[in-house]
Amino acid sequence: MGGVGGELRLPPQNFAASAIARTRIAEDSSLRLLCSDFSPPQCARIRRLNKNGRTDIPFGSLVFNHVLSQLSSFIVAQKSQSQGIVLVALSRGPLYYEELFKSKGNNVALSNKWIRVLDCCTDPLGWRSKLMESGRIANLTTGTSTRANLYKNVKDLDKLLSAIIELGKELVVEGNGRFAVAIDSVSEMLRHASISSVAGLLSNLRSHSQVSCLFWLLHSDIHETKAIAALEYISSMQASAEPITRPVNGQRGNSEKLPLLEQNLRGGKIHVRFKRRNGRVRLMSEEFCIEQSGIKFTPVSSEAEIIAQSLVPKVQFNLELSEKERNDRAKVVLPFEHQGNGKSIQIYDGRKSLNEDRAEMQDTSTEKVQTVEDSGRGEIIYFRDSDDEMPDSDEDPDDDLDI
Amino acid sequence: MNVQLPNLLEDALGGGGQKGGGRVVLIEDCVETSGAFVLHHFLKRSLSPNSSDAVVFLSFSQPFSHYDRILRKMGCNLVVQRDNKRLLFFDMQMLDSVGREEEKTSEDLLLALYEKVHKAVEICLSPPRNITIIIDDVSLLEVAANCLSNIVLDFLHYCYSLTAEFGCSLITLNHEDIYSSLDKPSLLLQMEYHADVVIKAEPLSTGLATDVHGQLTVLDKGLGGCFINSGKIRNFQFRIKDNQVEYFYPGSRT
């Protein structure tokens, strides 16, 4: 993940955020990307890809929560361009998010200033209000927070758009301030409206001058590929979370793939695709694991090393070398090297070396004498053992062996 | 045979009652292995004399007498519990036909059903206590809604919002193999996304056995509230007897 932060070009007026984005802190680099604001409306999409092994945790919502709390802490610290968040809650109620912010240590009393929750979860189709108006059920609503604004007709996306913008304008102090929009989740929205109208809503939000960034959660295994592609074109960044290992289809019984599934519960991989304005696409991937305190992100390589180390079989003898042993091994002179008699090292490769040629030229005279003396060289002298043996017979010498 | 076996299902569910908001439990089964016994387990647990919990039961598959007969063998009298207002039983096989006669749309039908559930929750809340809503089963609910799975999901969404608001638990049963031909079984997948605990009942991968009736895989996502604690997954086998179900780890039975 090196250099992720360094590649970011943030608007010069936003020094704090750019400084954060430039610091390369491994554990959060990909999320810092998602959380930093850009001058044009920035859309980030978090999706969860999970096709074969459905028995695992929906990490998408965890990543979404992480991004949301990260962004909110930036806003509270005034490190972000946006002055507040409008959270469109479709799949989880406002109470859930209240608890989330509480657990992250954000001041809930202050949160009135920077967050507005549009509650599309409690009564998305107006069933409750219909029943309450006719007096058939009592109004039991007890702990709903005052900050949550109930929205009762999710099918009407035009009204939803204006409700979001209205809430955003409440957050912004000056006229030209900006706010972020978070949608949880677009999958729910797609259940109530067509893909074209949802895409219309998202692109209207994206092009609104007061929306600094927009991010949403989508469960990609529920929807058709074309719907996912349509939403991907709108977004400038896409983070998809998937399990570390996919179960092989051949494994029928759950007991066989239990270890795999258990591994998937502890964490997963996240792939981030980031489209730059000039059209360049960067791909990044990281791994994450679930801890008590939240999600922890780690670069892929380090995790792979740990696995590689654990793969070395445990044996009784030592496979590693100590420092002294390593030094000793370096001192050993290999057989083809000269054993330290001052000559340069010559390795025979089948050809005569230059030095050898010269030496031969000098020694020609002496050699000639030798040749005369050893004229008998190269002869084969052979004595027959006895007369029984036929000279050069074709007989197999091992013929008498009974194999 | 009075040896107290550890109840692995209870262990996998994290024991006892969940504090601070109920959970959404999805039970998936298939033709070969029915998951109905898990529903009975939950029913018995909620109506146990040690607690004061109430149950709202929507039955699309069986009449009251069916559950009464089974639970009686397990040591729980449903008639008494119904009279005590601890069990609110809705026989949807009957109510469904009433709705059809009035020529209501599926949405009206499920709106009326939601009204019933909401009212039942109101009644049960009069002394505040844990409420468990049980739906047996969702595939037949889908049939009642003319197979409009979107409307079923709307209905379930309202039930989920009840769990978030009043701390009810929601337990649903659905059949996995019905959706096996679909590339993207939207209804089942969305139910899985919403569930905190998914329990799968499957036959043994090695085939039929006389003393083992199947295996259960319990996935606890561990996302209760917002506090992340990593989930756990358990797999064990079971044997259904007349008055109880035995749970044991694979290979621990001779």
Side-chain angles (χ1 to χ4, degrees):
Chain A
M1 290 313 301
V4 170
E7 284 292 322
L8 279 175
R9 296 279 188 278
L10 284 152
Q13 67 268 27
N14 196 352
F15 288 115
S18 62
I20 291 162
R22 287 211 181 97
T23 20
R24 278 173 39 195
I25 302 169
E27 57 189 61
D28 271 349
S29 47
S30 65
L31 280 140
R32 206 137 274 156
L33 275 171
L34 290 168
C35 295
S36 39
D37 300 56
F38 284 68
S39 51
Q42 168 80 21
C43 310
R45 204 167 71 70
I46 303 156
R47 70 165 186 171
R48 173 179 176 245
L49 201 98
N50 176 18
K51 276 181 185 141
N52 297 329
R54 293 205 310 272
T55 323
D56 48 27
I57 290 185
F59 290 122
S61 58
L62 290 181
V63 176
F64 181 85
N65 289 349
H66 183 92
V67 175
L68 187 66
S69 46
Q70 199 87 345
L71 180 57
S72 63
S73 62
F74 282 164
I75 287 173
V76 171
Q78 296 190 329
K79 283 173 181 169
S80 167
Q81 273 199 332
S82 29
Q83 295 174 354
I85 311 173
V86 176
L87 175 61
V88 187
L90 284 133
S91 69
R92 301 276 191 177
L95 283 174
Y96 176 86
Y97 287 105
E98 208 169 295
E99 248 178 73
L100 175 75
F101 290 125
K102 236 183 251 175
S103 70
K104 296 284 175 195
N106 283 332
N107 197 335
V108 186
L110 276 176
S111 62
N112 231 339
K113 286 182 186 163
W114 56 264
I115 192 158
R116 288 283 183 282
V117 181
L118 188 63
D119 180 8
C120 305
C121 177
T122 313
D123 197 7
L125 300 168
W127 286 11
R128 273 193 189 197
S129 56
K130 213 189 273 179
L131 292 172
M132 276 178 205
E133 277 163 23
S134 58
R136 281 186 277 185
I137 58 169
N139 192 352
L140 284 175
T141 325
T142 46
T144 325
S145 94
T146 46
R147 277 186 301 288
N149 301 268
L150 208 59
Y151 184 78
K152 289 173 189 168
N153 190 2
V154 179
K155 290 190 175 166
D156 191 346
L157 291 183
D158 293 335
K159 273 190 189 163
L160 185 64
L161 174 67
S162 50
I164 294 169
I165 301 294
E166 212 171 282
L167 284 179
K169 281 184 179 161
E170 281 177 27
L171 281 173
V172 178
V173 188
E174 312 104 71
N176 54 355
R178 290 178 166 176
F179 57 91
V181 178
I183 302 174
D184 156 38
S185 65
V186 168
S187 293
E188 290 282 333
M189 218 180 250
L190 280 172
R191 216 153 56 67
H192 300 292
S194 67
I195 175 69
S196 53
S197 47
V198 171
L201 170 80
L202 292 174
S203 92
N204 277 336
L205 278 174
R206 188 176 70 140
S207 51
H208 195 274
S209 60
Q210 281 188 297
V211 177
S212 67
C213 84
L214 164 67
F215 62 97
W216 66 86
L217 172 71
L218 180 78
H219 300 307
S220 61
D221 50 353
I222 299 174
H223 306 288
E224 288 176 36
T225 332
K226 61 178 183 186
I228 295 164
L231 294 176
E232 252 162 46
Y233 278 116
I234 298 174
S235 54
S236 56
M237 188 188 303
Q238 173 216 332
S240 58
E242 56 179 66
I244 293 178
T245 44
R246 298 274 182 82
V248 187
N249 280 334
Q251 287 171 325
R252 168 96 174 88
N254 259 331
S255 52
E256 289 168 48
K257 54 192 182 191
L258 206 63
L260 284 183
L261 292 174
E262 238 164 39
Q263 195 189 347
N264 286 346
L265 292 182
R266 286 195 288 272
K269 279 184 285 193
I270 186 163
H271 301 288
V272 181
R273 190 162 54 196
F274 175 42
K275 276 183 279 184
R276 295 273 300 273
R277 243 171 291 171
N278 60 9
R280 216 175 91 194
V281 176
R282 287 182 65 91
L283 287 172
M284 291 162 272
S285 49
E286 279 193 353
E287 289 185 1
F288 60 88
C289 57
I290 315 268
E291 288 180 352
Q292 200 71 37
S293 51
I295 293 189
K296 196 179 171 214
F297 289 86
T298 45
V300 174
S301 59
S302 71
E303 201 71 16
E305 270 169 27
I306 292 165
I307 292 166
Q309 277 177 6
S310 65
L311 280 178
V312 173
K314 285 197 173 65
V315 286
Q316 287 183 332
F317 44 86
N318 189 12
L319 289 174
E320 298 293 310
L321 290 178
S322 71
E323 193 58 36
K324 186 183 172 294
E325 287 167 333
R326 218 182 295 262
N327 288 338
D328 288 348
R329 192 176 69 170
K331 280 178 200 155
V332 173
V333 183
L334 293 176
F336 58 82
E337 291 174 352
H338 270 285
Q339 304 275 331
N341 53 6
K343 284 188 188 173
S344 62
I345 297 165
Q346 293 178 357
I347 298 169
Y348 180 67
D349 64 346
R351 292 168 295 181
K352 282 177 182 174
S353 72
L354 218 62
N355 295 342
E356 229 173 288
D357 272 349
R358 267 186 224 129
E360 240 171 63
M361 296 274 271
Q362 287 166 2
D363 293 348
T364 18
S365 50
T366 47
E367 243 179 68
K368 271 176 187 169
V369 180
Q370 281 176 343
T371 349
V372 175
E373 282 172 3
D374 300 349
S375 55
R377 215 160 54 161
E379 269 181 84
I380 299 172
I381 301 157
Y382 173 68
F383 299 102
R384 270 168 72 183
D385 286 346
S386 65
D387 288 336
D388 299 342
E389 193 185 348
M390 298 293 289
D392 292 322
S393 68
D394 287 337
E395 197 184 349
D396 184 5
D398 295 331
D399 204 21
D400 55 335
L401 285 176
D402 186 23
I403 301 169
Chain B
M1 204 45 220
N2 254 341
V3 185
Q4 193 63 42
L5 288 164
N7 193 333
L8 295 179
L9 180 59
E10 276 298 321
D11 289 352
L13 291 169
Q18 270 277 311
K19 280 173 193 163
R23 292 197 288 182
V24 180
V25 180
L26 169 67
I27 305 162
E28 287 177 20
D29 67 356
C30 49
V31 173
E32 294 91 351
T33 313
S34 164
F37 73 94
V38 186
L39 272 192
H40 303 150
H41 172 85
F42 278 109
L43 190 56
K44 192 195 168 191
R45 187 170 83 153
S46 307
L47 294 176
S48 76
N50 304 330
S51 70
S52 63
D53 300 3
V55 178
V56 178
F57 201 108
L58 300 180
S59 169
F60 290 86
S61 65
Q62 304 286 350
F64 180 76
S65 56
H66 169 87
Y67 300 100
D68 187 34
R69 213 175 300 162
I70 293 169
L71 267 288
R72 192 163 296 188
K73 278 195 175 161
M74 292 166 73
C76 175
N77 193 334
L78 287 191
V79 179
V80 172
Q81 301 294 356
R82 192 171 57 170
D83 295 342
N84 286 347
K85 297 270 182 241
R86 277 186 68 188
L87 170 66
L88 294 164
F89 191 90
F90 295 98
D91 192 341
M92 301 311 295
Q93 291 171 304
M94 317 271 285
L95 289 166
D96 182 37
S97 58
V98 175
R100 284 275 168 275
E101 279 164 19
E102 292 168 16
E103 288 186 359
K104 284 181 175 175
T105 62
S106 322
E107 193 175 348
D108 290 336
L109 204 75
L110 289 191
L111 179 59
L113 184 58
Y114 174 68
E115 187 190 333
K116 279 190 190 19
V117 174
H118 197 109
K119 272 184 182 165
V121 170
E122 271 177 44
I123 293 167
C124 295
L125 272 177
S126 51
R129 51 185 165 177
N130 292 332
I131 301 168
T132 308
I133 304 170
I134 302 181
I135 302 176
D136 181 18
D137 60 82
V138 176
S139 66
L140 289 170
L141 171 66
E142 205 180 351
V143 172
N146 281 331
C147 294
L148 296 168
S149 55
N150 238 343
I151 292 175
V152 175
L153 280 170
D154 289 340
F155 172 75
L156 288 174
H157 180 94
Y158 272 96
C159 291
Y160 297 140
S161 73
L162 281 179
T163 67
E165 215 168 312
F166 305 115
C168 309
S169 299
L170 178 69
I171 295 161
T172 51
L173 174 70
N174 207 351
H175 308 302
E176 194 182 9
D177 42 4
I178 297 177
Y179 307 95
S180 58
S181 64
L182 298 176
D183 187 30
K184 298 191 173 186
S186 170
L187 178 71
L188 194 65
L189 278 178
Q190 301 224 23
M191 286 177 72
E192 279 182 14
Y193 273 114
H194 274 289
D196 300 315
V197 181
V198 181
I199 303 175
K200 280 192 188 189
E202 292 168 304
L204 289 183
S205 52
T206 48
L208 289 174
T210 47
D211 50 353
V212 182
H213 294 156
Q215 56 174 340
L216 279 187
T217 308
V218 181
L219 169 76
D220 186 351
K221 291 182 188 168
L223 302 171
C226 310
F227 306 102
I228 301 169
N229 39 10
S230 61
K232 32 180 198 198
I233 188 160
R234 299 278 169 82
N235 178 273
F236 47 84
Q237 297 173 343
F238 60 85
R239 182 185 189 185
I240 302 172
K241 292 183 164 183
D242 267 352
N243 53 356
Q244 65 170 10
V245 182
E246 284 176 5
Y247 303 98
F248 44 89
Y249 285 116
S252 65
R253 201 46 75 89
T254 47

